[in-house]
Amino acid sequence: MRKSVIGLVTGGMAVALVLTGCSSDKNSSSSGSSASGSTASVKGKVGVILPDTQSSARWESFDKPLLTKAFATAGVSADIQNALGDKSKMITIAQSMITEGVSVLAIVNLDSTTGSQIQATAKAAGVKTIDYDRLTLGGSADYYVSFDNVKVGELQGQGLVDCLKAKNVTKAKVIELNGSPTDNNATLFAQGYNSVLDPLYASGTLVKAGNQSVPNWDNAQAGTIFEQLLTAAGGKVDGVLAANDGLGNAAITVLKKNHLQVPVTGQDATVQGLQNILAGDQCMTVYKPIADEANALAALSISLLKGETGKTTGTVHDATGNRDVPSVLLTPVAVNIANVSKPVSDGFVKASELCTAAYAAACTKAGIS
Ligand code: BGC
């Protein structure tokens, strides 16, 4: 313990050495476009801890390579690790990163309790922190980088409603499969989709046939939960609001077993989610251009390394900590069969990964080559 405290202090001193005074940068609009710029003088290392490999394919398939690229382009040394869904492991990784001398630590928390703990330890060592994608409630992050997560939910709710309308289903029975109760984003997604669905439940246009959160976004558990909800709904459902592609795929697997094909939503524009859209098994996904999120994180890290104020798009209120966190919030995009080619034309996913033999014909039809 004592050894790591010494390490912590050393890390803090490293920060002090590179501080070059406060800049006059005002909070201004940034879409997190590029992390590059006058980076020649940037010294110091950044640590990034991703949450797991199970709750979404995004962390290893998109975030890791895009963050690696963003920091490399910016000329900043970065140590990017994954906590593999283990909260104690995240704490241990954070401690060793602080000891190794990172000046900035970015985390995707596994819950706000351990997230705050990590940030308090970092702060005590003079290490700046950034919340990446998930806000740590009651935490002390200097910045928050994410997408507009309420908007993500609104796109999901509206996407489901549009798909149900297209199928002419009246009094459609909807099952909601929410994200992890420990993830503030899951709360925001639900706030977004319920703002669309609740009035329709109230008017009787839709019927809420089931609603449950999936602990830790565990995709396998999501299948069991969905199966139970479907049974409780008498085996009948007309649409599924699934909070991400992994949960959506879990529901689709159960639906197929029951010879049902109904609109299912998702999020992350994963290869699996996009293939489910091509196959007609999934109604939509929410595409979040993660290169922008990674670039925004690199840009804010550089500002912290230089002792400057980073460019933000506004603030996000942390009700637990009762503070406004300077934030960069990016814009999510709804993707359905009509624009399923977008993540490919953007270079987010490769046509070769998406258009495997089983999806080749659907890809051609969707204009993906
Ligand atoms: C992220 C989603 C992801 C989910 C599960 C959320 O906090 O915003 O993109 O699908 O976590 O990892």
Side-chain angles (χ1 to χ4, degrees):
M1 185 60 204
R2 185 160 179 84
K3 192 167 165 231
S4 81
V5 169
I6 292 168
L8 302 181
V9 173
T10 312
M13 286 166 69
V15 178
L17 289 175
V18 296
L19 290 179
T20 52
C22 279
S23 98
S24 56
D25 263 23
K26 295 279 174 307
N27 281 5
S28 61
S29 152
S30 157
S31 61
S33 43
S34 174
S36 51
S38 57
T39 58
S41 61
V42 179
K43 289 196 188 68
K45 192 171 181 179
V46 178
V48 183
I49 316 180
L50 300 172
D52 60 53
T53 58
Q54 308 297 325
S55 66
S56 170
R58 67 166 282 182
W59 308 114
E60 289 297 301
S61 304
F62 303 129
D63 293 87
K64 195 166 188 182
L66 291 168
L67 284 163
T68 304
K69 191 171 165 204
F71 283 108
T73 307
V76 173
S77 157
D79 180 1
I80 303 169
Q81 296 194 41
N82 192 309
L84 305 175
D86 182 339
K87 288 176 249 182
S88 334
K89 190 176 170 73
M90 189 177 287
I91 293 171
T92 310
I93 295 173
Q95 267 161 351
S96 68
M97 283 180 170
I98 294 168
T99 306
E100 128 203 351
V102 298
S103 305
V104 177
L105 177 63
I107 59 166
V108 183
N109 75 54
L110 284 168
D111 69 7
S112 284
T113 308
T114 51
S116 313
Q117 202 181 317
I118 288 169
Q119 290 173 350
T121 307
K123 196 174 177 180
V127 173
K128 301 286 184 186
T129 57
I130 302 178
D131 270 325
Y132 182 65
D133 204 72
R134 299 177 181 166
L135 183 68
T136 300
L137 301 176
S140 53
D142 295 279
Y143 291 111
Y144 175 44
V145 181
S146 195
F147 285 83
D148 179 340
N149 293 308
V150 175
K151 181 78 190 166
V152 169
E154 286 168 7
L155 295 176
Q156 293 173 319
Q158 196 53 51
L160 181 64
V161 170
D162 291 345
C163 285
L164 288 169
K165 268 193 199 145
K167 291 189 89 181
N168 257 327
V169 193
T170 47
K171 293 198 177 301
K173 287 181 148 195
V174 172
I175 290 180
E176 295 183 18
L177 217 41
N178 310 302
S180 176
T182 54
D183 180 355
N184 182 56
N185 284 349
T187 309
L188 300 176
F189 302 148
Q191 191 183 315
Y193 51 75
N194 287 326
S195 73
V196 177
L197 301 180
D198 280 348
L200 299 172
Y201 293 139
S203 67
T205 310
L206 298 179
V207 178
K208 196 178 201 165
N211 175 36
Q212 208 166 309
S213 294
V214 179
N216 305 318
W217 295 91
D218 185 312
N219 293 188
Q221 217 177 318
T224 312
I225 290 172
F226 182 74
E227 199 147 32
Q228 285 162 358
L229 291 173
L230 183 60
T231 306
K236 294 199 182 83
V237 67
D238 299 302
V240 182
L241 191 307
N244 78 359
D245 285 354
L247 305 189
N249 190 65
I252 288 166
T253 307
V254 175
L255 288 167
K256 279 186 181 164
K257 225 170 72 181
N258 288 277
H259 311 290
L260 293 169
Q261 191 185 46
V262 304
V264 177
T265 65
Q267 173 181 186
D268 291 339
T270 59
V271 168
Q272 186 179 59
L274 296 171
Q275 287 179 334
N276 281 337
I277 290 177
L278 286 166
D281 292 325
Q282 187 169 325
C283 140
M284 60 88 69
T285 186
V286 179
Y287 162 48
K288 304 192 290 191
I290 291 170
D292 291 346
E293 197 179 13
N295 286 333
L297 178 64
L300 287 176
S301 303
I302 289 168
S303 304
L304 288 171
L305 290 172
K306 288 180 166 178
E308 293 174 354
T309 304
K311 290 197 173 103
T312 51
T313 57
T315 58
V316 168
H317 188 67
D318 166 8
T320 307
N322 192 24
R323 68 182 192 115
D324 293 319
V325 188
S327 304
V328 173
L329 290 192
L330 304 161
T331 307
V333 182
V335 162
N336 56 30
I337 191 67
N339 64 344
V340 69
S341 61
K342 181 162 175 60
V344 181
S345 54
D346 273 13
F348 187 70
V349 295
K350 289 196 190 80
S352 57
E353 277 177 276
L354 189 60
C355 304
T356 51
Y359 303 92
C363 274
T364 307
K365 207 170 156 204
I368 303 169
S369 52

XYZ file of all heavy atoms in Angstrom, residues 266-361:
680
model
N -31.778 -2.028 -31.070
C -30.430 -2.312 -30.584
C -29.627 -1.030 -30.460
O -30.179 0.064 -30.452
N -28.332 -1.184 -30.366
C -27.412 -0.056 -30.226
C -25.999 -0.556 -30.415
O -25.686 -1.675 -29.988
C -27.546 0.556 -28.815
C -26.523 1.616 -28.520
C -26.603 2.234 -27.125
O -25.910 3.165 -26.820
N -27.467 1.717 -26.260
N -25.177 0.251 -31.017
C -23.728 0.064 -31.196
C -23.309 -0.254 -32.624
O -22.115 -0.274 -32.922
C -23.108 -1.018 -30.272
C -23.111 -0.598 -28.802
O -23.199 0.614 -28.542
O -23.034 -1.483 -27.928
N -24.288 -0.540 -33.500
C -23.947 -0.880 -34.889
C -22.846 -1.931 -34.952
O -21.870 -1.789 -35.690
C -23.544 0.380 -35.669
N -23.009 -2.969 -34.143
C -22.051 -4.073 -34.179
C -22.281 -4.880 -35.464
O -23.351 -4.798 -36.075
C -22.254 -5.028 -32.979
O -23.603 -5.527 -33.029
C -22.036 -4.304 -31.655
N -21.305 -5.664 -35.841
C -21.457 -6.494 -37.040
C -22.695 -7.386 -36.883
O -23.526 -7.507 -37.787
C -20.177 -7.336 -37.279
C -20.410 -8.415 -38.317
C -19.034 -6.423 -37.709
N -22.843 -7.980 -35.694
C -23.988 -8.859 -35.453
C -25.323 -8.105 -35.572
O -26.273 -8.597 -36.178
C -23.865 -9.459 -34.049
C -24.898 -10.495 -33.728
C -24.665 -11.044 -32.323
O -24.679 -10.296 -31.352
N -24.443 -12.336 -32.217
N -25.367 -6.893 -34.994
C -26.587 -6.087 -35.062
C -26.915 -5.721 -36.502
O -28.077 -5.817 -36.937
N -25.906 -5.328 -37.261
C -26.132 -4.940 -38.663
C -26.549 -6.161 -39.491
O -27.409 -6.067 -40.364
C -24.874 -4.283 -39.241
C -24.472 -2.950 -38.577
C -23.103 -2.491 -39.059
C -25.519 -1.853 -38.831
N -25.964 -7.318 -39.184
C -26.364 -8.536 -39.899
C -27.809 -8.892 -39.562
O -28.572 -9.317 -40.424
C -25.419 -9.702 -39.536
C -24.045 -9.543 -40.183
C -23.076 -10.648 -39.841
O -23.198 -11.298 -38.789
N -22.090 -10.868 -40.694
N -28.201 -8.688 -38.296
C -29.593 -8.951 -37.913
C -30.542 -8.006 -38.651
O -31.664 -8.382 -38.996
C -29.759 -8.808 -36.395
C -29.263 -10.029 -35.629
O -29.193 -11.127 -36.188
N -28.917 -9.853 -34.364
N -30.097 -6.775 -38.889
C -30.925 -5.829 -39.664
C -31.034 -6.325 -41.110
O -32.124 -6.370 -41.694
C -30.331 -4.400 -39.607
C -30.496 -3.820 -38.196
C -31.004 -3.486 -40.635
C -29.898 -2.436 -37.983
N -29.896 -6.722 -41.689
C -29.898 -7.214 -43.074
C -30.813 -8.427 -43.225
O -31.481 -8.600 -44.238
C -28.467 -7.592 -43.501
C -27.526 -6.414 -43.773
C -26.083 -6.896 -43.840
C -27.924 -5.685 -45.058
N -30.860 -9.267 -42.179
C -31.666 -10.492 -42.231
C -33.145 -10.224 -41.944
O -33.979 -11.122 -42.047
C -31.123 -11.499 -41.227
N -33.476 -8.994 -41.527
C -34.876 -8.678 -41.201
C -35.255 -9.080 -39.786
O -36.421 -9.041 -39.406
N -34.273 -9.480 -38.976
C -34.557 -9.893 -37.596
C -34.494 -8.727 -36.620
O -34.985 -8.826 -35.499
C -33.545 -10.961 -37.143
C -33.725 -12.261 -37.900
O -34.885 -12.601 -38.214
O -32.705 -12.930 -38.190
N -33.830 -7.652 -37.020
C -33.702 -6.486 -36.133
C -34.180 -5.255 -36.890
O -33.875 -5.086 -38.075
C -32.230 -6.336 -35.696
C -32.014 -5.260 -34.642
C -30.607 -5.315 -34.024
O -30.038 -6.399 -33.845
N -30.055 -4.157 -33.709
N -34.934 -4.421 -36.182
C -35.539 -3.261 -36.839
C -34.568 -2.101 -37.005
O -34.555 -1.425 -38.024
C -36.766 -2.905 -36.014
S -37.154 -1.213 -35.715
N -33.753 -1.870 -36.001
C -32.805 -0.751 -36.078
C -31.696 -0.919 -35.042
O -31.811 -1.715 -34.118
C -33.508 0.597 -35.849
C -34.210 0.765 -34.515
S -33.182 1.404 -33.160
C -32.898 3.093 -33.691
N -30.641 -0.127 -35.226
C -29.607 -0.025 -34.211
C -29.263 1.454 -34.081
O -29.666 2.258 -34.926
C -28.343 -0.848 -34.583
O -27.420 -0.814 -33.481
C -27.630 -0.312 -35.811
N -28.553 1.816 -33.032
C -28.082 3.194 -32.919
C -26.581 3.173 -33.162
O -25.832 2.493 -32.453
C -28.415 3.826 -31.556
C -27.884 5.255 -31.487
C -29.922 3.809 -31.319
N -26.208 3.871 -34.224
C -24.802 3.938 -34.627
C -24.158 5.136 -33.951
O -24.623 6.258 -34.093
C -24.760 4.028 -36.150
C -23.477 4.513 -36.769
C -22.241 4.001 -36.377
C -23.508 5.462 -37.798
C -21.066 4.446 -36.973
C -22.352 5.912 -38.408
C -21.133 5.402 -37.993
O -19.985 5.851 -38.586
N -23.122 4.858 -33.164
C -22.399 5.932 -32.485
C -20.978 5.959 -33.072
O -20.200 5.030 -32.802
C -22.374 5.669 -30.972
C -23.799 5.514 -30.404
C -23.854 5.547 -28.897
C -23.270 4.355 -28.219
N -23.570 4.296 -26.760
N -20.672 6.949 -33.885
C -19.337 6.992 -34.505
C -18.251 7.116 -33.435
O -17.938 8.210 -32.973
C -19.397 8.227 -35.405
C -20.859 8.543 -35.539
C -21.505 8.090 -34.262
N -17.713 5.985 -33.044
C -16.828 5.937 -31.880
C -15.475 6.603 -32.142
O -14.809 7.051 -31.209
C -16.723 4.482 -31.366
C -18.097 4.105 -30.769
C -15.646 4.314 -30.291
C -18.267 2.653 -30.436
N -15.106 6.745 -33.425
C -13.847 7.453 -33.718
C -13.927 8.866 -33.136
O -12.943 9.378 -32.595
C -13.611 7.506 -35.222
N -15.096 9.483 -33.223
C -15.254 10.848 -32.682
C -15.116 10.859 -31.164
O -14.562 11.788 -30.577
C -16.634 11.416 -33.056
C -16.759 11.708 -34.545
O -15.717 11.719 -35.228
O -17.889 11.917 -35.019
N -15.654 9.803 -30.524
C -15.582 9.719 -29.057
C -14.118 9.499 -28.632
O -13.627 10.122 -27.683
C -16.474 8.565 -28.576
C -16.810 8.626 -27.093
C -17.713 7.468 -26.640
O -17.880 6.490 -27.405
O -18.244 7.545 -25.515
N -13.426 8.632 -29.361
C -12.016 8.349 -29.068
C -11.174 9.604 -29.293
O -10.303 9.942 -28.475
C -11.525 7.197 -29.949
N -11.435 10.310 -30.396
C -10.679 11.543 -30.680
C -10.952 12.602 -29.628
O -10.048 13.341 -29.233
C -11.034 12.089 -32.071
C -10.408 11.252 -33.176
O -9.376 10.619 -32.982
N -11.037 11.234 -34.333
N -12.200 12.679 -29.168
C -12.543 13.667 -28.133
C -11.812 13.343 -26.836
O -11.327 14.240 -26.139
C -14.053 13.689 -27.908
N -11.709 12.052 -26.525
C -10.985 11.667 -25.303
C -9.504 12.039 -25.423
O -8.911 12.586 -24.491
C -11.123 10.159 -25.036
C -10.359 9.671 -23.797
C -10.919 10.286 -22.525
C -10.386 8.148 -23.690
N -8.926 11.764 -26.589
C -7.508 12.091 -26.791
C -7.306 13.610 -26.690
O -6.362 14.077 -26.054
C -7.032 11.557 -28.138
N -8.232 14.375 -27.294
C -8.094 15.844 -27.274
C -8.183 16.380 -25.845
O -7.386 17.236 -25.442
C -9.172 16.474 -28.151
N -9.134 15.872 -25.062
C -9.274 16.347 -23.676
C -8.072 15.911 -22.832
O -7.614 16.655 -21.966
C -10.577 15.825 -23.053
C -11.857 16.490 -23.557
C -13.076 15.816 -22.940
C -11.869 17.989 -23.243
N -7.566 14.711 -23.098
C -6.385 14.240 -22.366
C -5.219 15.181 -22.615
O -4.483 15.540 -21.692
C -5.989 12.828 -22.826
O -7.061 11.942 -22.654
N -5.063 15.595 -23.872
C -3.963 16.501 -24.217
C -4.125 17.830 -23.475
O -3.164 18.371 -22.928
C -3.904 16.709 -25.752
C -3.415 15.419 -26.402
C -2.992 17.882 -26.122
C -3.582 15.373 -27.902
N -5.364 18.328 -23.427
C -5.600 19.584 -22.697
C -5.178 19.433 -21.245
O -4.519 20.307 -20.684
C -7.084 19.960 -22.735
O -7.517 20.046 -24.050
N -5.542 18.301 -20.648
C -5.175 18.090 -19.243
C -3.657 17.977 -19.094
O -3.077 18.508 -18.153
C -5.870 16.836 -18.689
C -7.386 16.968 -18.459
C -8.001 15.616 -18.132
C -7.681 17.967 -17.343
N -3.028 17.288 -20.040
C -1.566 17.134 -19.976
C -0.874 18.487 -20.092
O 0.169 18.724 -19.507
C -1.067 16.208 -21.094
C -1.416 14.723 -20.977
C -1.023 13.973 -22.239
C -0.745 14.098 -19.765
N -1.478 19.384 -20.878
C -0.875 20.707 -21.079
C -1.304 21.706 -20.015
O -0.879 22.854 -20.038
C -1.292 21.254 -22.439
C -0.655 20.573 -23.631
C -1.193 21.259 -24.877
C -0.408 20.926 -26.123
N -1.014 21.585 -27.279
N -2.243 21.280 -19.155
C -2.743 22.201 -18.143
C -3.665 23.252 -18.731
O -3.823 24.346 -18.190
N -4.277 22.893 -19.868
C -5.190 23.842 -20.507
C -6.636 23.409 -20.274
O -6.896 22.282 -19.879
C -4.928 23.861 -22.023
C -3.574 24.429 -22.377
C -3.280 24.310 -23.872
O -4.080 23.692 -24.593
O -2.231 24.842 -24.272
N -7.566 24.307 -20.564
C -8.975 23.960 -20.476
C -9.393 23.300 -21.783
O -9.127 23.832 -22.859
C -9.826 25.234 -20.248
O -9.327 25.869 -19.078
C -11.290 24.885 -20.056
N -10.016 22.137 -21.689
C -10.399 21.413 -22.903
C -11.651 21.989 -23.537
O -12.420 22.695 -22.890
N -11.816 21.693 -24.813
C -13.018 22.153 -25.526
C -14.167 21.201 -25.232
O -14.033 19.992 -25.421
C -12.752 22.195 -27.028
C -11.782 23.293 -27.426
C -11.879 23.560 -28.916
C -11.050 24.774 -29.295
N -9.781 24.419 -29.925
N -15.271 21.743 -24.768
C -16.426 20.911 -24.417
C -17.664 21.409 -25.150
O -17.656 22.500 -25.720
C -16.672 20.962 -22.899
O -16.718 22.324 -22.486
C -15.568 20.252 -22.122
N -18.720 20.591 -25.128
C -19.957 21.024 -25.774
C -20.955 21.516 -24.727
O -22.030 21.979 -25.061
C -20.613 19.870 -26.570
O -20.850 18.775 -25.670
C -19.713 19.396 -27.692
N -20.646 21.360 -23.461
C -21.554 21.796 -22.397
C -21.218 21.079 -21.109
O -20.079 20.639 -20.923
N -22.204 20.955 -20.242
C -21.978 20.230 -18.998
C -23.078 19.187 -18.825
O -24.138 19.291 -19.433
C -22.034 21.162 -17.759
O -23.309 21.804 -17.733
C -20.933 22.202 -17.778
N -22.795 18.188 -18.001
C -23.811 17.197 -17.646
C -23.923 17.239 -16.132
O -22.902 17.272 -15.430
C -23.406 15.793 -18.136
C -24.302 14.727 -17.536
C -23.471 15.719 -19.655
N -25.157 17.248 -15.628
C -25.351 17.339 -14.180
C -25.245 15.965 -13.531
O -25.884 15.018 -13.969
C -26.701 17.975 -13.867
C -26.860 18.273 -12.393
N -26.103 19.219 -11.745
C -27.661 17.710 -11.453
C -26.434 19.248 -10.468
N -27.377 18.339 -10.256
N -24.419 15.885 -12.510
C -24.319 14.668 -11.703
C -25.135 14.943 -10.438
O -24.686 15.669 -9.549
C -22.841 14.396 -11.390
C -22.650 13.344 -10.278
O -23.648 12.717 -9.867
O -21.502 13.168 -9.836
N -26.336 14.358 -10.379
C -27.244 14.651 -9.261
C -26.697 14.085 -7.950
O -26.907 14.662 -6.882
C -28.622 14.090 -9.547
N -25.971 12.969 -8.019
C -25.419 12.371 -6.796
C -24.342 13.271 -6.196
O -24.332 13.535 -4.993
C -24.825 10.974 -7.100
O -25.823 10.201 -7.754
C -24.360 10.266 -5.846
N -23.449 13.735 -7.038
C -22.364 14.590 -6.553
C -22.759 16.059 -6.534
O -21.987 16.901 -6.096
N -23.941 16.355 -7.029
C -24.450 17.714 -7.164
C -23.410 18.652 -7.782
O -23.027 19.657 -7.200
C -24.932 18.244 -5.801
C -25.730 19.533 -5.976
O -26.283 19.751 -7.064
N -25.771 20.375 -4.958
N -22.982 18.275 -8.990
C -22.028 19.142 -9.699
C -22.257 19.002 -11.200
O -22.838 18.002 -11.664
C -20.580 18.793 -9.323
C -20.152 17.449 -9.831
C -18.736 17.077 -9.420
N -18.324 15.901 -10.185
C -17.340 15.892 -11.070
N -16.632 16.966 -11.288
N -17.041 14.786 -11.734
N -21.800 20.014 -11.928
C -21.918 19.983 -13.382
C -20.564 19.589 -13.956
O -19.565 20.251 -13.700
C -22.342 21.359 -13.913
C -23.767 21.688 -13.475
O -24.612 20.770 -13.506
O -24.012 22.842 -13.080
N -20.554 18.507 -14.703
C -19.290 17.997 -15.232
C -19.100 18.512 -16.664
O -19.953 18.271 -17.525
C -19.287 16.445 -15.233
C -17.909 15.909 -15.599
C -19.742 15.902 -13.877
N -17.980 19.211 -16.938
C -17.717 19.685 -18.300
C -17.673 18.478 -19.248
O -16.963 17.507 -18.971
C -16.339 20.350 -18.200
C -16.120 20.603 -16.748
C -16.895 19.563 -16.005
N -18.446 18.557 -20.329
C -18.629 17.355 -21.155
C -18.520 17.612 -22.643
O -18.800 18.708 -23.128
C -20.027 16.770 -20.904
O -20.214 16.494 -19.535
N -18.164 16.557 -23.354
C -18.294 16.536 -24.810
C -19.344 15.472 -25.099
O -19.146 14.305 -24.767
C -16.968 16.139 -25.506
C -17.188 15.950 -27.000
C -15.900 17.188 -25.258
N -20.485 15.891 -25.632
C -21.544 14.934 -25.967
C -21.733 14.920 -27.476
O -21.973 15.954 -28.089
C -22.868 15.309 -25.290
C -22.964 15.136 -23.777
C -24.402 15.278 -23.317
C -22.406 13.791 -23.317
N -21.615 13.739 -28.063
C -21.696 13.581 -29.513
C -23.075 13.096 -29.933
O -23.866 12.643 -29.100
C -20.610 12.596 -29.957
C -19.191 13.008 -29.519
C -18.244 11.831 -29.565
C -18.686 14.153 -30.381
N -23.329 13.179 -31.232
C -24.678 12.876 -31.733
C -24.787 11.460 -32.306
O -24.034 11.098 -33.209
C -25.040 13.902 -32.829
O -24.834 15.199 -32.273
C -26.487 13.773 -33.266
N -25.730 10.667 -31.782
C -25.928 9.304 -32.305
C -26.814 9.317 -33.567
O -27.553 10.267 -33.789
C -26.675 8.620 -31.160
C -27.448 9.730 -30.492
C -26.633 10.990 -30.657
N -26.716 8.240 -34.343
C -27.456 8.158 -35.612
C -28.288 6.867 -35.646
O -27.761 5.780 -35.375
C -26.455 8.113 -36.803
C -27.185 8.070 -38.137
C -25.476 9.283 -36.749
N -29.570 6.976 -35.989
C -30.403 5.774 -36.114
C -30.082 5.091 -37.437
O -29.977 5.744 -38.481
C -31.877 6.163 -36.081
N -29.904 3.781 -37.390
C -29.628 3.017 -38.606
C -30.651 1.888 -38.723
O -30.842 1.114 -37.784
C -28.184 2.449 -38.594
C -28.024 1.322 -39.595
C -27.167 3.547 -38.882
N -31.336 1.858 -39.886
C -32.251 0.750 -40.163
C -31.938 0.228 -41.563
O -30.921 0.614 -42.144
C -33.717 1.194 -39.990
C -34.042 2.403 -40.853
O -33.464 2.585 -41.933
N -34.935 3.255 -40.372
N -32.802 -0.591 -42.112
C -32.473 -1.217 -43.399
C -32.249 -0.163 -44.494
O -31.454 -0.375 -45.411
C -33.564 -2.267 -43.802
C -33.104 -3.132 -44.994
C -34.906 -1.602 -44.068
C -31.963 -4.049 -44.714
N -32.905 1.005 -44.364
C -32.783 2.035 -45.399
C -31.388 2.662 -45.457
O -30.948 3.086 -46.525
C -33.845 3.118 -45.175
N -30.710 2.748 -44.323
C -29.364 3.373 -44.333
C -28.316 2.466 -43.681
O -27.339 2.951 -43.118
C -29.398 4.751 -43.650
C -29.763 4.673 -42.171
O -30.277 3.649 -41.724
N -29.493 5.718 -41.413
N -28.551 1.160 -43.801
C -27.641 0.189 -43.160
C -26.218 0.263 -43.752
O -25.253 -0.193 -43.132
C -28.254 -1.241 -43.229
C -28.280 -1.765 -44.652
C -27.545 -2.203 -42.284
N -26.092 0.875 -44.921
C -24.769 0.974 -45.539
C -23.906 2.065 -44.886
O -22.689 2.099 -45.092
C -24.906 1.265 -47.040
O -25.581 2.493 -47.216
N -24.525 2.951 -44.088
C -23.782 4.101 -43.549
C -22.551 3.722 -42.706
O -21.464 4.264 -42.928
C -24.715 5.026 -42.763
C -23.974 6.246 -42.217
C -24.866 7.384 -41.818
C -24.093 8.519 -41.185
N -23.061 9.109 -42.038
N -22.712 2.807 -41.739
C -21.514 2.466 -40.952
C -20.387 1.897 -41.821
O -19.223 2.007 -41.465
C -22.030 1.410 -39.957
C -23.511 1.641 -39.891
C -23.915 2.108 -41.251
N -20.769 1.295 -42.974
C -19.748 0.747 -43.872
C -19.096 1.886 -44.655
O -17.869 1.994 -44.708
C -20.357 -0.300 -44.845
C -19.271 -0.867 -45.754
C -21.058 -1.407 -44.069
N -19.927 2.787 -45.219
C -19.333 3.873 -46.011
C -18.514 4.821 -45.128
O -17.586 5.470 -45.590
C -20.401 4.637 -46.802
O -21.418 5.079 -45.949
N -18.835 4.867 -43.841
C -18.049 5.680 -42.899
C -16.728 5.002 -42.507
O -15.918 5.592 -41.808
C -18.830 5.871 -41.579
C -19.759 7.065 -41.639
O -19.991 7.587 -42.750
O -20.255 7.478 -40.566
N -16.578 3.718 -42.892
C -15.369 2.980 -42.517
C -15.427 2.428 -41.095
O -14.417 2.008 -40.531
N -16.629 2.429 -40.499
C -16.796 1.948 -39.121
C -16.731 0.426 -39.073
O -16.083 -0.158 -38.202
C -18.136 2.458 -38.590
C -18.413 2.193 -37.137
C -17.700 2.853 -36.153
C -19.409 1.297 -36.754
C -17.968 2.629 -34.806
C -19.691 1.075 -35.417
C -18.970 1.736 -34.441
N -17.444 -0.220 -39.999
C -17.305 -1.680 -40.138
C -16.903 -1.987 -41.587
O -17.229 -1.221 -42.495
C -18.608 -2.464 -39.792
C -18.978 -2.324 -38.344
C -19.761 -2.054 -40.671
N -16.240 -3.102 -41.760
C -15.777 -3.462 -43.106
C -16.851 -4.288 -43.811
O -17.444 -5.189 -43.213
C -14.508 -4.304 -43.017
C -13.284 -3.535 -42.575
C -12.022 -4.363 -42.908
C -10.791 -3.794 -42.284
N -10.637 -4.136 -40.861
N -17.047 -4.026 -45.100
C -18.016 -4.799 -45.887
C -17.655 -6.280 -45.827
O -18.543 -7.141 -45.751
C -18.032 -4.302 -47.323
N -16.353 -6.573 -45.811
C -15.930 -7.981 -45.812
C -16.352 -8.706 -44.523
O -16.653 -9.890 -44.538
C -14.418 -8.077 -45.996
O -13.771 -7.338 -44.982
N -16.398 -7.957 -43.407
C -16.824 -8.568 -42.141
C -18.339 -8.758 -42.120
O -18.863 -9.736 -41.600
C -16.502 -7.621 -40.977
C -15.104 -7.661 -40.433
C -14.958 -6.605 -39.352
O -14.701 -5.433 -39.711
O -15.151 -6.943 -38.171
N -19.028 -7.758 -42.653
C -20.491 -7.746 -42.600
C -21.098 -8.710 -43.621
O -22.004 -9.483 -43.302
C -20.958 -6.304 -42.894
C -22.411 -5.979 -42.694
C -22.829 -6.230 -41.254
C -22.664 -4.505 -43.056
N -20.570 -8.642 -44.838
C -21.204 -9.360 -45.941
C -20.617 -10.749 -46.139
O -20.111 -11.079 -47.222
C -21.104 -8.522 -47.200
S -21.828 -6.886 -46.970
N -20.688 -11.564 -45.099
C -20.276 -12.954 -45.220
C -21.337 -13.673 -46.055
O -22.413 -13.113 -46.306
C -20.147 -13.596 -43.822
O -21.361 -13.332 -43.105
C -18.987 -12.998 -43.039
N -21.038 -14.906 -46.463
C -21.897 -15.628 -47.412
C -23.393 -15.503 -47.121
O -24.185 -15.175 -48.012
C -21.476 -17.088 -47.450
N -23.764 -15.698 -45.853
C -25.193 -15.697 -45.505
C -25.855 -14.323 -45.726
O -27.079 -14.243 -45.859
C -25.359 -16.121 -44.048
N -25.053 -13.274 -45.769
C -25.621 -11.923 -45.887
C -25.276 -11.253 -47.213
O -25.631 -10.097 -47.433
C -25.136 -11.051 -44.711
C -25.492 -11.661 -43.373
C -24.603 -12.504 -42.711
C -26.754 -11.447 -42.809
C -24.940 -13.109 -41.507
C -27.099 -12.040 -41.603
C -26.190 -12.868 -40.962
O -26.538 -13.471 -39.781
N -24.600 -11.988 -48.086
C -24.106 -11.394 -49.334
C -25.246 -10.809 -50.173
O -25.155 -9.660 -50.639
C -23.322 -12.431 -50.122
N -26.316 -11.572 -50.342
C -27.422 -11.097 -51.185
C -28.072 -9.864 -50.560
O -28.345 -8.869 -51.251
C -28.458 -12.214 -51.362
